[in-house]
């Protein structure tokens, strides 16, 4: 008999030390040995992040993602859209996170039966079946301490025995009959700045990746409209399926019946250079002396274009060149660590006060006899600014139709550094 | 208490314990036991022994327990088929359950039990579920049909499930539609011929409606299905595009990429003048860029696809260069892809930025990435002329760093820059020479040696430098050895006086001490060349090099078009058509882009010219590295020539008109109008040493005669066979009369003979032999005359021929000298064979290739003549010619004249390209007679055109010339395009030669016996080098003296100036 296996055939979960701690086969069993090809690639890549996501083996393809120190390795046998698989794997990881609070080997092992039930529910014959957490939670109840106690007393199960209401309606993301005593709708506008700053401090590249994450706890079938002060900013947007695209096209208003609970309403990208303000600047002086096995390191971070808000949670990480043995630095603020094995320097700065700029300087010890490092390290900066969306995006108002009650509404803004790199 | 406890039991008696627990009366205990079983299963332990016990737990009203048992069943039913039957009843019962969740669960699980015996029991429940009132059950059942089809396709067809499935496409629930589409696509994929998803405007409309409402995964299935549809016109294409565009804003990247695929495909049909076309282009950029902010794995797949999109439609992302800038903590696989796209997008407008970035990357830590960055700088220099100077100085800066691998990469790219801008940057050679000692990689060494050889006259101590390499000659890699050989020969030709010893040394190293056939062959060729005709050697070895192309590593256009149809799939990640790698690729159908139907067809050449330039500037394609065949072809023909498709894709390419109208219009603008043809050859220096047109073959009969010969003979299909003529009259052969003709049938050539005994004695012991001839014709089998031939008896014999015999140029070309022996004597006669028997069946040239080749054929290789009084129309001509393996590549109509573009290939790989212009009666037209070798004029005649009315047929022929490769004399001014050895023919990879065709011309003697031209060793037979010694060929006589074994001799070198 000739099998033609479709879509996702099997899934292996592998931890960082290379143990396969869970396998799930949606069709016939594929031997674990298929993962040897993966291990081979992993070995070649040295760094876990560098394992290529698509690996071909004589009979299968392995498509993998790396999340939370776990490799999700799926086995594919035919031509399948790889993005489809990768998206699905991320969805699996998201679901674990959602169910168990963390996506870790322990959490998965602790809840192996639920994991198995979830995987079975998420994929049928290799086709995704139910991936919306709302629906899954109706089918398979997430574990809680209370319920496991109750279950063990009453013998009831954690599997829902009715068909999830949302499963087939035209709004599959929402279940019917939601009831809350306090009706609330919260929106978090979160913006991350991705930027590359060159040696001289000018911006090589900068863009803002923004999302609006929502937490909606509203009874019944509310129909919401969210409008912005400056919707023109949003020209490259990805929407949650609940959003009525036509309405956005014509009126630039987000109109939707929300899913219940937490979800990502939109994600957007602002790339036109003049709109991307860079909230911090870095003055740096990193040099290695020829033939003296030492170098100097001097970095100052200061605020810039932060609309009067405080820049906080500042952390700088630097991958120092291999030849660096140790670093003797003094920080005027915060604390630093240098890991001589991974060569990573981390400086936890905290809040930046414009009056006294944080500075870190001192000596770098190099391996004696080794040639002077060619490359200069890039500085990776993290920071946070509360109550500010750096793009200037502002929510104008939220209206609710279809229900009588008055909900409590709230909007929060936050700006963070995404991949924010300063070249030296 | 967590589930991890299930993992802890590892003791030996585990199975027994579980068995006892499973059979316990207590429900709770049972459930716990099943959970333990499942847990063991998840870590790969074999718990199949518990099968009966677990199945016993199946009949329960506890849904969780039921699910767990089902989970177990799916895993182990295959290994326990007999036991699995026990479960059937429960399934049937569950399919009737009032709870739709249980019905769906049952139908889902049923399908996953891959046991033949069970399937037939499942048909009834499945049929019910397909019509279930609950859509959740229906959609689950739809998928079950696909599962069942996988197990037993016949059963599914017999039971009519496919029709039910098709009906589900019209279901009211979008989820059901999506799953039905998914199931049908899966089934259709395994049965490409079954017209399961016959899409029509109505069903498309339904799909588009469902698209808006179903889940993200369903949207992917529907979009992929839409991508297979061919809209009937541009309006329909536009309306579909309009309805698909909103998907670009979806949060799921797979949906986005599938939507991009549909749009990229249907865009082909839209006219570029439409406003909508521009709008669509603008809309495509943001979602593609957004994909790059996703997780690195998604980025990687997206980048691989963007790489294709950028090649196909560079205008989409031309302003988005910056998003491809590399971040230092990107995974390496993302970095490399980004770099590749950066170079593709580099233009004069952004080159400064790109260079600054590349320079930055060249100081990074990761070696692979740094190398690629250095190489990228070189590619920028070649691509954007204005930046060349800056690139060179950047490269020099990098060389100053003395980082070993950076220096080596830089030298490799500088070599290409020298090629692209001759006589401009040679001042840096001194700097390069300083680093000679630090080079340890073959590619860098080879590049350096090339530079030394090429500029030997400017480097004072070139001979010392090369000599230093020669010391370790045998330890060098082949690449370096070959390069060293060529460089020293170049040096010798430039400075003959001081370097004679050196050249002799390297030639003897290459020919006598090496066991590498390529090296040896190249050595012999140089040796012979130098010893025979040093002037010619100079012309060949130091010939002006063709320009190298701007774009490298472009995907060949037909493949690119196919890959565009596979956006988002594995094919797009590997940049190979699915047929090339999908295992057991049954059901792989070649997909093609739809033809453009827009109004602006006339002058446009939109598709095949990705650079957006004029059609005439077909970008030269250097196929991706590792593609040996493409590499070689490019080397041979020299840029700018569109490389032929990669072998795997070419097979079916002929049947599928990939570019459709696009190419037609391309042909039109490219070849259109006869002046263009004339100028076409001036476009690039032909890679061959141009042969003076030697149309020496005397016309044995005028054209008119030939027409008479064929008038009235017309076979519509099949190759033309001339009537038998007497070859050997009886009076000349002691009573044996031989008449005969030649024919070609399905790939085999035969000589049809009639032997008549006109003597008075019985004849026996017949044998036949051919003298060497132009095409190596030889009997494939001995002459079989079974019984002795009695007086006044005749016998008809069909003698199969092949073309693997020895080759010698004959005059006329198609002369064949035959010796027939019988018991009486040996008789000799000669005859002319019609050339069309040598036209092979695969003589249909790829359009793209045809176009490129046409342009590259020098004028000297061109001949023109007219056939008058032929009353056929274009189609009839085309079909007649086809019968004789002369294939129509394209047809068009210019000012009322039909033009046919034909190609044919001879058994020895010579291609002949022809343009036929069929003029309606035009009595005032006076053709200019062009001397033309008999055989070609005749070849059209043999096809049998009757001449009745006033129609002119002009035939315009072009052939390409690469004589050294063909192992055959350049045929009467018609050179040869060597047929490339099929994959495996030339197992050596010669990347360094990419830009040095002059070497290849002299060295590409195949080294494997499977190639069409067996390797020639000195003394193995006549080595035909006619392009270099055209006049010295022995005059064809009846029995030409066999040339003695050729010995390389050097003395004649002395007189070289």
């Amino acid at each position: 008999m000739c099998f033609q296996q479709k879509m996702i055939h099997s899934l292996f979960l592998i931890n960082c030390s290379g143990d396969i701690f869970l396998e799930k086969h949606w069709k016939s069993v594929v031997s674990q040995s298929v993962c040897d090809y993966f291990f081979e690639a992993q070995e070649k890549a040295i760094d876990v992040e560098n394992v290529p996501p698509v690996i071909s083996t004589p009979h299968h393809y392995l498509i993998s993602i790396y999340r939370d120190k776990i490799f999700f390795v799926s086995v594919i046998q035919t031509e399948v859209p790889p993005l489809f698989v990768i998206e699905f794997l991320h969805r699996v990881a998201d679901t674990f996170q959602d169910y168990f609070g963390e996506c870790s080997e322990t959490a998965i092992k602790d809840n192996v039966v639920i994991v198995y039930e979830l995987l079975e529910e998420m994929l049928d014959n290799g086709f995704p079946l139910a991936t919306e957490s709302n629906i899954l939670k109706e089918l398979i109840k997430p574990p809680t301490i209370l319920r496991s106690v109750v279950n063990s007393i009453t013998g009831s199960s954690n599997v829902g025995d009715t068909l999830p209401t949302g499963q087939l309606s035209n709004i599959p993301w929402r279940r019917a009959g939601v009831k809350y005593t306090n009706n609330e709708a919260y929106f978090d506008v979160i913006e991350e700045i991705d930027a590359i700053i060159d040696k001289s401090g000018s911006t090589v590249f900068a863009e803002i990746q923004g999302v609006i994450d929502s937490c909606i706890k509203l009874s019944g079938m509310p129909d919401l409209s969210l409008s912005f002060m400056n919707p023109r900013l949003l020209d490259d947007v990805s929407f949650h399926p609940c959003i009525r695209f036509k309405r956005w096209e014509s009126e630039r208003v987000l109109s939707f019946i929300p899913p219940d609970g937490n979800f990502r309403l939109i994600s957007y990208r602002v790339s036109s250079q003049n709109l991307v303000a860079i909230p911090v600047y870095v003055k740096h002086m990193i040099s290695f002396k020829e033939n003296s096995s030492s170098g100097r390191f001097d970095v100052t971070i200061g605020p810039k274009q932060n609309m009067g808000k405080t820049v906080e949670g500042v952390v700088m990480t630097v991958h120092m060149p291999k030849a660096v043995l140790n670093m003797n630095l003094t920080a005027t603020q915060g604390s630093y660590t240098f890991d001589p094995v991974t060569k990573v320097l981390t400086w936890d700065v905290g809040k930046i006060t414009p009056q006294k700029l944080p500075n870190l300087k001192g000596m770098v010890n190099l391996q004696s006899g080794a040639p002077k490092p060619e490359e200069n390290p890039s500085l990776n900066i993290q920071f946070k600014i509360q109550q500010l969306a750096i793009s200037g995006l502002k929510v104008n108002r939220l209206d609710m139709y279809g229900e009588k009650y008055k909900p409590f509404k709230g909007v929060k803004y936050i700006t963070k550094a995404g991949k924010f790199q300063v070249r030296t | 208490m967590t589930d991890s406890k299930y993992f802890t039991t590892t003791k030996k008696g585990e199975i027994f314990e579980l068995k006892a627990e499973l059979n316990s009366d207590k429900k709770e205990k049972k459930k716990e036991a099943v959970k333990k079983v499942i847990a063991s299963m998840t870590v790969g332990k074999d718990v199949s022994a518990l099968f009966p016990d677990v199945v016993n737990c199946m009949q329960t009203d506890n849904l969780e327990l039921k699910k767990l048992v089902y989970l177990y069943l799916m895993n182990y039913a295959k290994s326990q088929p007999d036991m699995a039957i026990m479960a059937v009843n429960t399934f049937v019962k569950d399919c009737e359950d009032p709870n739709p969740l249980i019905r769906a669960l049952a139908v889902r699980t049923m399908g996953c039990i891959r046991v033949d015996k069970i399937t037939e029991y499942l048909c009834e429940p499945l049929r019910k579920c397909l019509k279930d009132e609950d859509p959740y059950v229906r959609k689950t059942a739809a998928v079950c049909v696909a599962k069942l089809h996988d197990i037993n396709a016949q059963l599914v067809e017999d039971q009519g499930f496919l029709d039910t499935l098709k009906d589900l496409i019209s279901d009211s629930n979008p989820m059901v539609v999506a799953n039905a589409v998914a199931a049908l696509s899966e089934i259709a994929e395994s049965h490409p011929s079954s017209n399961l998803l016959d899409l029509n405007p109505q069903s498309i409309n339904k799909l588009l409606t469902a698209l808006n409402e179903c889940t993200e995964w369903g949207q992917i299935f529907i979009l992929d299905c839409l991508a297979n549809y061919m809209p009937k016109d541009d309006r329909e294409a536009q309306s579909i595009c309009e309805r698909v565009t909103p998907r670009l804003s979806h949060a799921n990247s797979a949906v986005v990429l599938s939507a991009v695929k549909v749009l990229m495909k249907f865009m082909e049909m839209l006219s570029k003048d439409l406003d909508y076309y521009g709008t669509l282009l603008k809309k495509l950029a943001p979602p593609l860029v957004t994909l790059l902010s996703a997780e690195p794995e998604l980025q990687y797949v997206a980048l691989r696809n963007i790489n294709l999109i950028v090649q196909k439609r560079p205008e989409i992302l031309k302003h988005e260069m910056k998003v491809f800038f590399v971040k230092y903590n990107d995974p390496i696989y993302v970095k490399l892809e980004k770099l590749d796209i950066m170079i593709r997008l580099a233009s004069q407008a952004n080159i400064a930025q790109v260079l600054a970035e590349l320079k930055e990357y060249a100081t990074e830590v990761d070696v692979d990435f740094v190398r690629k960055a250095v190489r990228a700088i070189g590619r920028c220099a070649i691509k954007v002329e204005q930046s060349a100077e800056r690139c060179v100085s950047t490269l020099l800066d990098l060389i100053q760093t003395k980082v070993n691998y950076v220096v080596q990469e830089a030298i490799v790219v500088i070599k290409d820059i020298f090629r692209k801008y001759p006589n401009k940057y040679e001042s840096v050679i001194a700097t390069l020479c300083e680093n000679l000692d630090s080079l340890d990689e073959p590619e860098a060494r080879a590049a350096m040696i090339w530079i030394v050889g090429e500029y030997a006259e400017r480097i004072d101590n070139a001979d010392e430098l090369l000599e230093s390499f020669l010391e370790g000659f045998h330890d060098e890699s082949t690449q370096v050895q070959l390069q060293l050989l060529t460089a020293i020969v170049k040096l010798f030709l430039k400075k003959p006086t001081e370097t004679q010893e050196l050249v002799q040394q390297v030639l003897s190293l290459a020919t006598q001490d090496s066991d590498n056939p390529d090296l040896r062959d190249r050595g012999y060729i140089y040796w012979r060349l130098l010893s025979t005709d040093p002037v010619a050697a100079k012309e060949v070895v130091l010939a002006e090099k063709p320009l190298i192309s701007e774009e490298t590593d472009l995907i060949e256009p037909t493949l690119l078009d196919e890959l565009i149809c596979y956006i988002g799939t594995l094919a797009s990640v590997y940049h190979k058509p699915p047929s090339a790698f999908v295992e057991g690729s049954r059901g792989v159908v070649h997909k093609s882009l739809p033809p453009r139907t827009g109004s602006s067809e006339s002058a446009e050449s939109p598709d095949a010219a990705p650079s957006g330039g004029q059609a005439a500037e077909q970008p030269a394609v250097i196929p991706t590295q590792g593609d040996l065949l493409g590499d070689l072809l490019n080397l041979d023909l020299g840029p700018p020539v569109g490389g032929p498709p990669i072998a795997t894709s070419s097979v079916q390419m002929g049947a599928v008109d990939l570019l459709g109208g696009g190419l037609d219009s391309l042909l039109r603008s490219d070849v259109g109008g006869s002046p263009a043809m004339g100028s076409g050859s001036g476009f690039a220096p032909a890679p061959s040493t141009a042969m003076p047109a030697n149309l020496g073959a005397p016309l044995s009969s005028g054209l008119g005669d030939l027409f008479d010969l064929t008038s009235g003979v017309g076979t519509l299909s099949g190759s033309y066979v001339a009537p038998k003529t007497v070859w050997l009259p009886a009076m000349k052969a002691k009573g044996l009369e031989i008449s005969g003709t030649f024919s070609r049938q399905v790939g085999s050539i035969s000589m049809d003979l009639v032997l008549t005994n006109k003597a008075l004695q019985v004849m026996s012991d017949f044998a036949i032999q051919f003298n060497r001839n132009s095409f190596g014709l030889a009997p494939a089998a001995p002459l079989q005359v079974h019984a002795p031939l009695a007086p006044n008896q005749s016998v008809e014999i069909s003698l199969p021929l092949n073309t693997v015999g020895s080759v010698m140029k004959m005059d006329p070309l198609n002369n064949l000298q035959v010796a027939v022996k019988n018991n009486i004597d040996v008789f000799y006669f000669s005859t002319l064979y019609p050339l069309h028997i040598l036209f092979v069946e695969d003589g249909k040239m790829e359009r793209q290739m045809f176009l490129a080749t046409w342009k590259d054929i020098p004028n000297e290789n061109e001949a023109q003549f007219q056939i008058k009084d032929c009353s056929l129309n274009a189609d009839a001509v085309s079909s007649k010619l086809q019968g004789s393996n002369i294939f129509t590549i394209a047809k068009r109509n210019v000012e009322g004249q039909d033009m046919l573009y034909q190609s044919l290939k001879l058994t020895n790989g010579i291609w002949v390209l022809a343009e036929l212009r069929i003029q309606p009666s035009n009595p005032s037209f006076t053709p200019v007679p062009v001397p033309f070798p008999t055989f070609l004029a005749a070849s059209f005649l043999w096809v049998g055109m009757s001449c009745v009315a006033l129609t002119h047929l002009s035939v315009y022929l072009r052939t390409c010339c690469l004589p050294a490769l063909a192992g055959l004399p350049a045929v009467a001014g018609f050179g040869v395009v060597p047929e490339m050895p099929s994959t495996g023919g030339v197992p050596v990879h010669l990347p360094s030669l990419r830009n040095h065709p002059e070497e290849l011309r002299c060295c590409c003697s195949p080294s494997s016996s499977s190639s069409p031209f067996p390797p020639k060793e000195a003394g193995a037979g006549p080595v035909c080098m006619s392009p270099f010694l055209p006049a010295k060929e022995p005059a064809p006589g009846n029995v030409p003296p066999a040339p003695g074994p050729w010995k390389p001799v050097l003395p004649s070198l002395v007189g070289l100036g």
Side-chain angles (χ1 to χ4, degrees), chain A residues 69-140:
Chain A
K69 305 220 163 84
I70 300 173
F71 285 104
F72 291 70
V73 182
S74 61
V75 182
I76 310 292
Q77 213 165 29
T78 48
E79 173 65 275
V80 155
L83 276 189
F84 181 108
V85 180
I86 295 172
E87 277 278 356
F88 177 78
L89 294 178
H90 278 293
R91 217 57 67 83
V92 170
D94 290 344
T95 309
F96 290 167
Q97 175 88 34
D98 196 25
Y99 264 70
F100 315 128
E102 53 165 354
C103 177
S104 67
E105 186 180 351
T106 351
I108 291 170
K109 275 188 168 169
D110 283 351
N111 298 286
V112 68
V113 174
I114 291 186
V115 164
Y116 230 58
E117 284 169 348
L118 278 173
L119 290 175
E120 190 56 36
E121 208 54 62
M122 291 179 85
L123 205 67
D124 175 23
N125 194 38
F127 298 133
L129 198 60
T131 50
E132 281 287 332
S133 83
N134 269 307
I135 291 168
L136 283 170
K137 280 183 181 162
E138 279 185 69
L139 286 167
I140 299 154

Side-chain angles (χ1 to χ4, degrees), chain A residues 218-232:
Chain A
L218 298 173
S219 314
M221 275 289 167
D223 194 335
L224 303 178
S225 291
L226 185 71
S227 63
F228 298 96
M229 306 280 262
N230 38 8
R232 273 158 189 280

Side-chain angles (χ1 to χ4, degrees), chain B residues 859-935:
Chain B
N859 283 341
E860 305 91 277
N861 286 3
E862 209 173 87
Q864 197 170 15
F865 70 94
Q866 302 204 348
I867 302 167
K868 270 195 265 182
D869 304 339
C870 181
S871 72
L872 295 169
N873 66 13
D875 289 343
V877 169
S878 172
S879 70
K880 267 177 197 286
L881 293 176
Q882 170 114 33
S884 291
N885 294 337
I886 303 166
F887 298 93
T888 306
I889 306 302
K891 183 190 154 192
R892 63 198 192 96
N893 188 296
V894 173
E895 296 162 0
Q897 303 178 8
D898 278 321
M899 311 281 277
L900 292 176
Y901 294 91
Q902 308 282 132
S903 79
L904 64 90
K905 192 169 81 169
L906 294 167
T907 46
N908 57 359
I910 298 178
W911 285 92
V912 178
L913 313 186
E915 180 192 55
L916 264 83
R917 180 181 315 164
I918 298 161
Q919 295 170 309
S921 51
N922 178 7
S924 66
F925 183 75
T926 30
V928 185
V930 174
F932 193 78
T934 331
F935 77 95

Side-chain angles (χ1 to χ4, degrees), chain A residues 117-175:
Chain A
E117 284 169 348
L118 278 173
L119 290 175
E120 190 56 36
E121 208 54 62
M122 291 179 85
L123 205 67
D124 175 23
N125 194 38
F127 298 133
L129 198 60
T131 50
E132 281 287 332
S133 83
N134 269 307
I135 291 168
L136 283 170
K137 280 183 181 162
E138 279 185 69
L139 286 167
I140 299 154
K141 301 213 172 61
T144 59
I145 297 163
L146 181 66
R147 189 161 44 249
S148 54
V149 174
V150 173
N151 281 359
S152 58
I153 297 165
T154 60
S156 70
S157 75
N158 58 354
V159 170
D161 54 5
T162 50
L163 186 62
T165 44
Q167 179 76 301
L168 285 154
S169 66
N170 284 349
I171 36 172
W173 54 86
R174 190 173 179 88
R175 61 196 166 102

Side-chain angles (χ1 to χ4, degrees), chain A residues 3 6 79 110 120 239 421, chain B residues 3 108 114 249 329 570:
Chain A
F3 288 113
K6 282 298 148 177
E79 173 65 275
D110 283 351
E120 190 56 36
F239 296 119
Q421 308 185 344
Chain B
D3 293 346
R108 222 175 98 190
R114 313 186 57 89
S249 300
N329 49 2
L570 277 175

Side-chain angles (χ1 to χ4, degrees), chain B residues 944-959:
Chain B
M945 291 176 200
S946 55
C947 39
V948 182
L950 293 163
T951 309
H952 288 220
L953 241 158
S954 352
V955 183
Y956 209 107
L957 285 133
R958 305 182 74 116
T959 48

Side-chain angles (χ1 to χ4, degrees), chain A residues 1-7 21-25 27 29 32 49-56 58-59 61 63-66 77-84 86-88 90-91 109-114 116-117 120-121 123-125 127-129 131-132 139-140 155-164 167-168 170 194 196 199 204-205 207 209 236-239 241 245 249 269 273 317 319 322 374-375 378 380 419 421 423-424, chain B residues 2-4 6-7 28 31 35 38-39 41-44 62-64 67-68 71 74-75 78 99-101 108 112 114 116 134-136 139-140 143 146-147 150-151 173-175 182 186 189-190 213 216-217 220-221 224 246 249-254 257 283 286-287 289-290 293 295 297-301 322-323 325-333 357 360-361 363-365 401 403 568-571 573-574 578 581-583 586:
Chain A
M1 190 164 33
C2 170
F3 288 113
Q4 189 168 22
Q5 313 295 3
K6 282 298 148 177
M7 299 297 181
F21 66 91
L22 187 113
E23 54 179 319
K24 162 79 185 148
H25 307 277
K27 295 248 177 145
V29 178
Q32 285 194 355
E49 278 94 7
N50 287 342
V51 182
V54 184
I55 300 168
S56 72
H59 301 285
Y61 292 90
I63 298 182
S64 62
I65 64 164
Y66 180 66
Q77 213 165 29
T78 48
E79 173 65 275
V80 155
L83 276 189
F84 181 108
I86 295 172
E87 277 278 356
F88 177 78
H90 278 293
R91 217 57 67 83
K109 275 188 168 169
D110 283 351
N111 298 286
V112 68
V113 174
I114 291 186
Y116 230 58
E117 284 169 348
E120 190 56 36
E121 208 54 62
L123 205 67
D124 175 23
N125 194 38
F127 298 133
L129 198 60
T131 50
E132 281 287 332
L139 286 167
I140 299 154
S156 70
S157 75
N158 58 354
V159 170
D161 54 5
T162 50
L163 186 62
Q167 179 76 301
L168 285 154
N170 284 349
D194 286 355
I196 301 174
K199 282 187 192 65
V204 176
F205 160 81
E207 66 175 19
Q209 303 286 350
D236 180 8
V237 202
S238 301
F239 296 119
F245 189 70
E249 287 274 274
R269 188 175 65 92
Q273 210 90 142
T317 44
H319 281 259
K322 282 204 186 67
E374 282 305 327
E375 74 275 5
S378 285
N380 222 21
K419 291 177 177 163
Q421 308 185 344
R423 291 176 180 159
T424 61
Chain B
T2 66
D3 293 346
S4 54
Y6 303 124
F7 288 102
E28 252 332 279
K31 201 159 90 182
K35 280 191 178 182
I38 301 279
M41 208 167 80
T42 59
V43 289
N62 182 316
L63 190 63
E64 188 182 17
K67 274 192 173 180
L68 292 173
L71 270 179
M74 285 187 241
N75 238 12
K78 185 100 179 63
N99 185 343
L101 202 57
R108 222 175 98 190
C112 296
R114 313 186 57 89
D116 262 335
D134 194 303
Y136 181 71
K139 80 163 199 172
T140 315
V143 175
K147 296 181 198 169
D150 197 15
I151 304 170
N173 187 295
M175 295 295 300
E186 181 182 330
E189 210 173 282
S190 54
E213 292 166 6
E216 47 196 322
W217 312 108
I220 299 170
F221 294 132
D224 285 347
S249 300
H250 202 284
N252 185 320
S253 58
L257 210 52
K283 281 193 174 165
V289 172
T290 303
S293 56
E295 289 82 358
E297 300 92 3
L298 293 172
Q299 278 188 47
Y300 171 72
V301 176
K322 285 192 174 179
V323 297
F325 285 1
V326 172
K327 304 193 176 78
Y328 88 86
N329 49 2
D330 281 335
I332 180 72
Y333 55 83
E357 279 296 299
E360 190 72 41
Y361 303 159
T363 62
E364 280 227 22
V365 193
T401 64
V403 177
T569 66
L570 277 175
V573 174
Y574 284 102
F581 64 89
V582 172
E583 185 173 84
R586 67 167 163 151

